[in-house]
Each structure stands twice: as structure tokens, then as C-alpha cells.
Amino acid sequence: MSVRGPRKGENYELSIDLNSEYREKRKDAIKRTIASMTVGKDVSGLFPDVLKNMQTDDLEQKKLVYLYLMNYAKTQPELVILAVNTFVKDTADSNPLVRALAIRTMGCLRAEKIIDYLSEPLKKCLEDDNPYVRKTAALCVAKLYDLKPELVIENGFLDKLMDLIADSNPMVVANTVAALTDIHIAATSQPGTSSSDPGYFHITTAILNKLLIALNECSEWGRVAILNALARYVAQDDKESEHICERVVPQFQHVNGSVVLAAVKVIMIHMRGVRREELVKQLVRKMAPPLVTLLSSPPEVQWVALRNINLLLQKRPEILSNEMRVFFCKYNDPLYVKVEKLDIMVRLASENNVDALLSELKEYASEVDVDFVRKSIKAIGQTAVKIDAAAERCVNVLLELIGTRVSYVVQEAVVVMKDIFRKYPSTYEGVIPILCSNLDELDEPEAKASLIWIIGEYANTIDNADELLGIFVDSFVEESYPVQLQTLTAVVKLFLKKPDSSQAIVQKVLNTATKDCDSPDVRDRAYIYWRLLSMDPAAAKAVVLAHRPPISIPRTTVPPALLEELLGEIGTLASVYHKPAETFIGKGRIGADAVRKGDLGDDQFSAQKALQTVAAGQQAENLLDFDDSTNMEGQPSGLAATQVLSQTPAAASLLSGTSNNPLDDLVSIFGGGGGGLTPTPAAFGGGGTFVAPAFGGGATPMTPAPPMPAPARANSQSEDLLGLF
Amino acid sequence: MISAFFIFNQKGEVLISRLYRTDFKRSIADVFRIQVVSNSDVRSPIITLGSTSFFHVRVNNLYVVAVTKTNANAALVFEFCYRFINICKAYFGKIDEESVKNNFVVIYELIDEINDFGYPQNSEIDTLKSYITTESIVSSAIIPEESSKITTQATGATSWRRADVKYKKNEAFVDVIETINLSMSAKGNVLRADVDGHIQMRAYLSGTPECKFGLNDKLVIDKNKDGGTGDGVELDDCRFHQCVRLHDFDANRTISFIPPDGEFELMRYRSTSNVKLPLRVTPSVTEVGTSQVQYSITVKANFNNKLSANNIVLRIPTPLNATAADCKVATGKAKYVPAENVIVWKIARLQGGQECTLNATASLASTTTRQVWARPPIDVDFEVLMFTASGLIVRFLKVYEKSNYQSIKWVRYLTKAEGTYQIRF
């Protein structure tokens, strides 16, 4: 004792007490040691003193000492050896609780030296006649594998685990399944081992039947483990798929939400193999009530459920079609729950329930949280775009909201109106004066840009369009870039529609944009317009006033292949984030996972994924597909786009300098932009689909997935452009 | 699976920390403190930083936190956190900083027992209590049979029940408790009305009793056509305690089970059709210019006049710039609570058929902002005994046991609302 530390301070006092001759005093000292350990103080110096108290009849004290050991065993490996004897002795104790405690703790010590002593007792415990000891030992194998895989293999523990699947006790079966799954995942995520290994936990038909039997008897957590294993099983034929579904469906009635979601997962996976239509319908019908019930869980569970319901609706929109009311937000729901509910409500909107929905959304728009209010207003816009028959009612609600004159409400409503105009061109022109009268309220770029776009689009019906745009032209240099881009385009539109009265303003804006503006995007767009206008006004008209495709709400927010993958992971983090697991569980696993997928011949998914990549690549070739601000994958960088350009014959001839037309300049501008001046291809955006880049932000919620018709159209337009010369 | 489990107090100090796996160091707790506890704008119960995900549940002044590095089962993690909270409540009566600090030894024992290597284990409170107690157990004092009985129970097919339960008087108490969720629009239309019911049972029955439970479930009644029992209730969904045989229910909707000893939640259900609203609230709120808001709020008890609603509390929102409110009531007490911007009107008891009214005037301070008043809904809390909003009735509870004893059954009904009965105006 004299060797260690100073003879004063907290640790010194503790060590005195740990060596006290009174039992109670020693126990109290252990408690205080654990308390210090919890708050993060270093009490590793007391290791030998604590160790002395390990040999005791007092179970509580034993647990405390074990807790201490688990914490510091790693840093004091040579001292842990002293504890080994007690551990080994305990694994042979007559009390099963002590045996289980010893084997559980040994697995957690994680010191090289003690592991060698673990194998023998573990072997015995796996064959213990007490189920409590067996279930603890089963998990201990997973712990050992985590530490030293070769020991597990050498000792044949895996075969022992496989035997335990047939155990008479359901809890043992459940823990065995959990341990095997854990080992399986650990083994297959090692890049080196996975390529040749089929994995350690291959579920055969024999195992399947044992699991189905144990499922009905074991504890709630065990059910989740077993259901997870069932989800991995590949059914031999449709009979087997049906059988699995029928056996799993009763789990929908379980009180534990995670069991319900795990059951939903298994059903969603094995339903793919079911051929009988009426059974599929029946399964889907049975799925709805338990999902709704999850909404009366605590908010966190509710949120997980909502995120998953959102996914399920993307695959099977009919599931909850009559249940929209249960998604109405309660005033005191947490914000994250409210936002999810909004999204689902829009998904469930139909002509039958749109009135109820709109009056709810209007209610939400008067709440306190700015974010939620904005999302509610967005939802109104999405409803309008989704349901043609309700568009007018939506517009009326928006007008009422604009009437409140609350700044952020008005601004969001303006942005949303822009989307409605895009979907229903020239339908609600009567609204424009009201929007314009709120011009002074707007201070956010997106709202301003939206209003300017509307003015430009309807310049011929707005008498004082030049006046209104004039305001923005006057303050042009102070505005943000998106507003500048919109102003520029709107003024050009105005000029094309009313050439007589707006000569001066277009001159002014082009001048300002090309001379005083420091954004290359804006400057480039201004140059393009300028040249177009001066060379060929008809061409300018064809480009600037081109017909735009109507927007629509995509049915899915994730690509179909990913959706299928996520539906196979219902209840997990991946399904909550709507992202594949590789994106958030650490770099090391990405490669490994990919390898595993290749190995297991997960053909359907990889094929679909590959197709998607190809599609993304094709999109990248479409020079004028500037929708890419909404499209996260496979974005063509400016440079890449230029290279593609040189591959198309027309462009190649341009680049080779054989032609002497003005587009040469254009191309050089574009090339320069691609080379580094412009981070996005938006510089060119003014030409064809100017709405897309400028409204990237605004349109994002409406078109999160790349709209398929757009590239094709953009392509034809790019040909138009090239054809002009 | 869960890699680590923490409890933090409001200041972000670690009260309990347990690492189940080695993919973390203890210092991961600091990350949570910085990212969540000291961040005023946390908008999700799951935070993922890099490859580490933190799941947190707030309860009283504590954060219960589970950490993982894998694509964990999010539903399971949260269910586990809530189970832990319930266990603490059962053990210590409450869960807050003080009770955690005072009982940290037991808590460590508990979290080691209910979770091993990140996988949740048996978490039945009744069973846990038999071998994790607040008094220390001396190993030699337990006779080996006793401990093997415990372990069999903890792992067995009926992990929720000991085999040797004995009572002199065999009794079973059934409480049907319904919570009404109501949103009513300003025009008095019901936007949403449904009932979350749960059936709480206290079984003091000897031996291994086999129970059968019958409700006026519409599907069952229609099938039997025995007539005369009155209307059936349409249950949208039912959930059962793990003791109930789900397969039997799935096949023919019988609820059969071997109950745990003592108190447990037998089932939860949800009903949305024909919900009877016990209290009708008619608000009339007018803003007089910018300086005053006038309230006239009437509550009417809409049920049999032999019954009564108790502990009615109406929380009537006032604008944020209200300075005072003058309330007049004939029944109960009303008081303006400026800190919460509400008028609280408490009525101890309201007989069926009766009604009462509150008249109030709130005076407003003048403000420069143009923000309109959001008008949060009026919130009503109450309890009505021997009344079910869904119309659910317990038809029978049969107990079969080898020794064939007589058992006495008691049934109570309660309908209540706590923050879920909302009327807009």
C-alpha cells in the first residue's frame, strides 16, 4: 500500500475502508468507489483493494466488485489474473444465479489473460441444466467471438450454439439466436473473412420451424431477436412464405411496439413471396390497426413508428387510406412528431378527406413554432398540387393566411403559390394582385424570387409589372443571387411579352447584371440573354418562354430499390432515417457490406441499384438537366458536363472551331464556367429550364426525386438551342 | 444492440454509466452532454454523430440515454428505455435525480440484469423483484431450490409467474381505464375522437389459474348471436400482455391467459366508433379590440345523472400579452395563472346532466408586434367513474384452477382525460 499514491485524499481513505475489518464498512467503501467511478474519477489504483472483497457470500457486494472489475480489467490485466480463480470457482457454484453472474462477467472482462481461462467454464455452462445459466452462456459466446474469434471456432462453440437452437427453453433459443446473429454480423463485416465465408448463421428450414415454435413462447425481446432472424430467411416457395406470414401475424397484437414493428418487417419481406392475392390483402388489412395503435405510444416510439409508416405508405398507399384523422397533430405533441404527421397527412390526402385536412392545416398555420407553421403551409401547397379538385380550396386557404399579414406566413404562402402556378398555369390569376400587394412584406430570398417569377410569368396580365420589377431592378446589386437571377429572367420575359414598354428596364437590368454583379452565374445568364435578344428575339422567345412540364408530387421520397431495402429494415435506424445503414454506421462497413451483398447474390437489389446508377449517369449526360439541385446522386459537375458536351457531334463541331457562329462564345463561357468559375452548371440555366436552378430550393419538397420526364424534355430543348445556329 | 447506457441529470452530469460493449470509451458521455444537454434546440430524439447514435428519453429532470454504433432497432431501444423507467418507478416509486442517486447500486444491478451485451433480457418487474431487492441478499441464505425456482421463472415459458402462489381469499380486480382523445374544432365539430383503453388487472389467485376473459367485443357478439347482451363495441385494435395467447385471439378472439401474480396490464385497446363524450364544452371567446378578450365557457356533463365527473380542470389559454383576468364562476374555482398564460378552472365534482359556466375578461397590454394570437385549444382534464366512453363492458372473467377454488372478481370502470381532451375556439 505504501507503494501506491500519497497517504491522503479520497482514494487513500477508500483504500483504508476497503481493507477494514468490518464487513459493512468494506461494502460501503465499494459503493463509494463505484460512485466515484461513475462520475469519471480514476479509481483504478484501488484495484487490489477491491479485488480482496470479491470472495463473499453477499451477492450484491459480488455484483459491485464485478462491476468494478469490468471497468478496469482492461487497464490492469496482470491483476485480473488474481480474480480468475474466484470466477472459475463461481461457475461451479450450486446457485445458478452465481454461476450465471460469473460467466456473464467473465465475458465482459475483455482482458487477454483471462480469456484463456474462459473456455472451460463456458463449455460447462453451455451444457448447464439450468436454463438461466445456458441463456447467459449463449450470449457469452458472442462476447468471446468479439474478443477472440479463433477461440470460438477452435472450441466448437458455434456448433454448440446451433444445438442450443433446439433447446426446450424459449429464452435460451432467443439468446442463442441473438448471439448467432451478432457473430454472423461481426464475421461478415470483416472484409477479409467475408469473401469466402457463407456466414455463420445460415437459417435452414429445420431452424425456421424451431424459431416459429419458440416465437410464441419467449419474452418480448426474444421475439424481436427471433423475428429479425426470420426476416433473414429466404423462403423456398410461396407455400413457405405464406406459412411464415400466417405464423407471424398474431404478433401484431403484442403490447411491445418493437415486436409489432419487427413483425411488420417480417411480413413485408415474406409477403413478396406470397402469390395469393387475397392473402396479401388480408395481411395488409391486418397491418393497419396495430400501426395506428403505435400512435398512442410515448412520443419517441411514436416518432419511430411514424417514420416507418411513412415508408410503408410509399410502398402501399392504401394501408391507412381511411385513417387520416388519427394523424391530426395534438397541440402538445413534440415538434418532431408533428412534422412527421404532416408529411403522412399529405400522403393520405384524397378528395374525400381534403376538407378536414385543409381546416387542420389552417389551424396549424396559426401555431407558434415558425418551422411547423411553414411546413403546414407547404403541406397546403402539396395538397393543391396533389389533388386537382381541391386546388381552389387550397388557394382560398392560402389567401386567408396571407390576410393575417404575419411576415413568415405570407412569405411561405407566396413560395407555395408559385408551385401552384406551376401546376395550374393561368388558373388563379385573380390572386396575383393580392400577392403583389404584399411585396413589402417579403424579405427572404426564396419568397422574393417566387414572387418575381410569378410576375415574370404573368407579365402580360399584370398592368404594372414593369413598375413592380423596377423595384427589384433598382435594388439589384443588393439582392441575393437567386433573386438576381429571377429578376433577370422575369425582366426578359416582360420584354418578350411587352417589348414596347419595357425596352428601358431590360437594358438597365442587363447592364447592371453584366457590369456590377459579382456572381458569375448572374453575369453569364445576363450575357446569354443579351446575345439571344440581340441576335434572334424569336429564338429568345422559344427559349425563355418555353413550355414547362407540370410538377407533381412523387409517390416516393426514396428510389424504389432503396425503398425495398428499407422495408426490409423496418424498425431500425435505417428506416427511421430513410437512408441505407452504410451511410451512418461507420466507414469500415461500407466495403464489407457491398461485398456481402455481392456474395449472398442479393441480385434483385444490386441489379436495381446498378440500373439506377446507369440512369443517374444518363441524366448526367443531359446538359440541360439543371434539376440536379434536387438530385443528390450522380450530379454532373460542371467539368464533367463539358466533357460530355464534346462527345455530342454538334457540340464537337462547335468546339473544333469549324463554325463561326456566336455560340462559340457561348461554349467558351460554358467551358470556362465548367473549368472552375461556376460551381454548378447553373450559369447556363438561364437558357432552357431556368426555373429549375433558381427554384431549386423552392421546388425541392415538391420534387425530391428526379422527375423522369424532365431530362428528356431538357434534352430536346438543348437540341433546340443548338439547332438555332 | 445497445452499446452503452447512461443516465444524465439536467446539468449533463453522469449519474449512471454502463458500457455493454467496447466500441466506446466512457468519454462518449461528454459528446452527448455537449450535443444534447447543452443544446437548447434539439429537434429529434435520435442524434447521430459520425457513426454513433444517441437515443434519448427525457423523464422528469433526467435524460435516459442509449448509445449504439450499429443499425440498431430504434423501436426496441426506446421501448427498452421506457421499460427501464417503468422498472425504476416500480422499485423506487418515482424516477428523478434524487431517487437515482440514492439507489444507484440497485440500478446497476438492474441494468446488468435486464441487458446483457446490449441485448435486453427478462424485464418483468415481478420476476426481477424476486431476486433483485433493495435489501442485500446473502447467497448462502437462499436455499438452492429457491434460486433455481427464480431462474426457471426468469427464463420459463411463464416467466411472469411463480408456481407456488397461495392466497386465502382468491380475488381478481379488473380496472377498465379509458383515456379519451378529443379534438373539437371551433365550430363544435368533432375532428377526432377516439379512446385508448387499457385493462389493468390485479390477480390474487392461488396456483396456476387459467383465465378466460370476455368483453362485449362486437365481433364475438355478432358471431355468437346470443342476443340480449346489448350492443357490442367495435375494437379497432387490441394489444395484450405477453401472458395472453395471441394465437387463440387471432383464431377466434378469445382472451385466455395465465395471469402474473399481482398487478399487470392485461390489454390495451383502441376504439374510434361511437365514442361518447362525457363533457360538452361550449366556448365563446371574443377579442374586443386589442385590449380585451372575453370568455364565456359552458361545461355540460353529458351522462347518466347517477354518475358524476370528478377533478375537472379546464385550462383556458389567454393571449401572451394578457396582464390580468377577471373570472366569475358559480361552480368551482377559477384563477388566472400568468406564468402559463392560462385561466385554470377547477371543478371538484359535476353531476350528470348538470352544467356550469365561466365568464371571464382578460385585459391585454398593448404591444408593438402584429403577431396574431395562436389560440391554443382549451384543455380539459377529468375523471368519470363507472363510465366507459367506448361503451365497453366486461362480460365475464372465468378462472379455472386444478383445486377448483371459488374466486371473487371485481370490475371498475373509469374514463378520464389528461391533456388529450382539446377544444379549439
Side-chain angles (χ1 to χ4, degrees), chain A residues 27 31 34-35 37-39 57-60 63-64 67 70-71 95-98 104 108 110 130-132 135-136 139 142-143 146 169-171 175 178 182 216-221 223-224 228 247 249-258 260-261 286 289-290 292-294 296 298-301 303-304 325-326 328-332 335-336 360 363-364 366-369 371 405-406 408 441 569 571-574 576-577 581 584-586, chain B residues 1 14-18 21-22 26 43-48 50-53 55-58 68-76 78-80 82-83 104-106 108-109 112-113 116-117 119-124 131-140 142 144 147-148 150-152 154-157 181 190-192 194 196 236-242 246-247 249-250 265 268 270 370-377 379 419-420 422 424:
Chain A
K27 188 166 169 187
K31 285 186 187 172
I34 302 283
M37 186 177 89
T38 299
V39 296
D57 281 345
D58 185 339
L59 255 185
E60 189 188 28
K63 284 180 185 168
L64 287 173
L67 189 66
M70 283 187 264
N71 247 317
N95 185 341
L97 286 174
V98 175
R104 188 173 77 199
C108 297
R110 320 200 58 90
N130 189 298
Y132 186 81
K135 73 127 185 159
T136 313
L139 271 184
K143 292 178 191 169
D146 191 35
N169 186 298
M171 191 94 123
N175 269 7
D182 198 82
N216 281 312
E217 290 168 352
C218 68
S219 79
E220 45 202 328
W221 315 114
R223 290 184 198 214
V224 177
N228 282 341
R247 295 294 293 268
V249 157
Q251 304 304 325
F252 284 166
Q253 253 65 50
H254 201 282
V255 74
N256 187 317
S258 57
V260 176
L261 282 176
K286 281 194 173 171
V292 174
T293 303
L294 286 176
S296 16
E300 291 85 1
V301 182
W303 181 65
V304 172
R325 279 168 189 270
V326 297
F328 284 0
C329 301
K330 292 183 193 154
Y331 188 75
N332 24 17
L335 188 74
Y336 52 84
E360 275 300 296
E363 196 73 35
Y364 303 155
S366 64
E367 281 195 15
V368 188
D369 189 280
D371 248 14
R405 303 187 73 82
V406 178
Y408 56 86
E441 300 280 336
E569 306 211 31
T572 63
L573 263 182
V576 169
Y577 284 140
F584 59 86
I585 55 170
Chain B
M1 62 304 267
V14 182
L15 302 181
I16 297 285
S17 94
R18 177 75 177 89
R21 290 180 171 241
T22 42
R26 206 155 280 268
R43 302 214 141 185
S44 159
I46 307 178
I47 312 272
T48 299
S51 58
T52 308
S53 302
F55 297 69
H56 72 275
V57 170
R58 290 200 69 168
T68 178
K69 251 192 162 137
T70 59
N71 180 18
N73 187 326
L76 178 127
F78 282 128
E79 288 280 0
F80 177 77
Y82 275 98
R83 179 62 51 85
F104 79 94
V105 174
V106 182
Y108 273 122
E109 271 190 66
D112 255 333
E113 191 57 43
D116 191 7
F117 203 45
Y119 293 100
Q121 303 290 306
N122 180 35
S123 52
E124 281 298 313
Y131 62 105
I132 295 178
T133 56
T134 31
E135 300 107 51
S136 53
I137 304 174
V138 179
S139 150
S140 56
I142 319 178
S147 58
S148 72
I150 291 171
T151 53
T152 331
T155 58
N181 295 305
V190 174
L191 297 171
R192 169 187 179 187
D194 53 64
D196 281 325
D236 289 30
D237 187 30
C238 305
R239 300 228 171 157
F240 298 99
H241 185 267
Q242 53 172 323
L246 297 180
H247 261 283
F249 183 78
D250 194 54
E265 187 184 89
R268 279 191 226 166
R270 195 162 50 76
R370 252 203 328 217
Q371 169 86 48
V372 271
W373 178 31
R375 290 193 174 219
D379 190 85
T420 53
Q422 300 188 327
R424 298 176 186 163

Side-chain angles (χ1 to χ4, degrees), chain A residues 103 300 446:
Chain A
I103 203 76
E300 291 85 1
E446 200 190 347

Side-chain angles (χ1 to χ4, degrees), chain B residues 47-114:
Chain B
I47 312 272
T48 299
L49 303 160
S51 58
T52 308
S53 302
F54 296 88
F55 297 69
H56 72 275
V57 170
R58 290 200 69 168
V59 51
N60 298 329
N61 46 8
L62 301 175
Y63 290 86
V64 176
V65 183
V67 194
T68 178
K69 251 192 162 137
T70 59
N71 180 18
N73 187 326
L76 178 127
V77 175
F78 282 128
E79 288 280 0
F80 177 77
C81 291
Y82 275 98
R83 179 62 51 85
F84 170 77
I85 291 169
N86 285 338
I87 291 174
C88 284
K89 281 180 185 159
Y91 263 85
F92 320 123
K94 57 177 181 172
I95 175 164
D96 55 17
E97 184 169 350
E98 193 198 345
S99 68
V100 170
K101 276 187 172 161
N102 290 341
N103 297 291
F104 79 94
V105 174
V106 182
I107 291 181
Y108 273 122
E109 271 190 66
L110 282 171
I111 56 178
D112 255 333
E113 191 57 43
I114 60 175

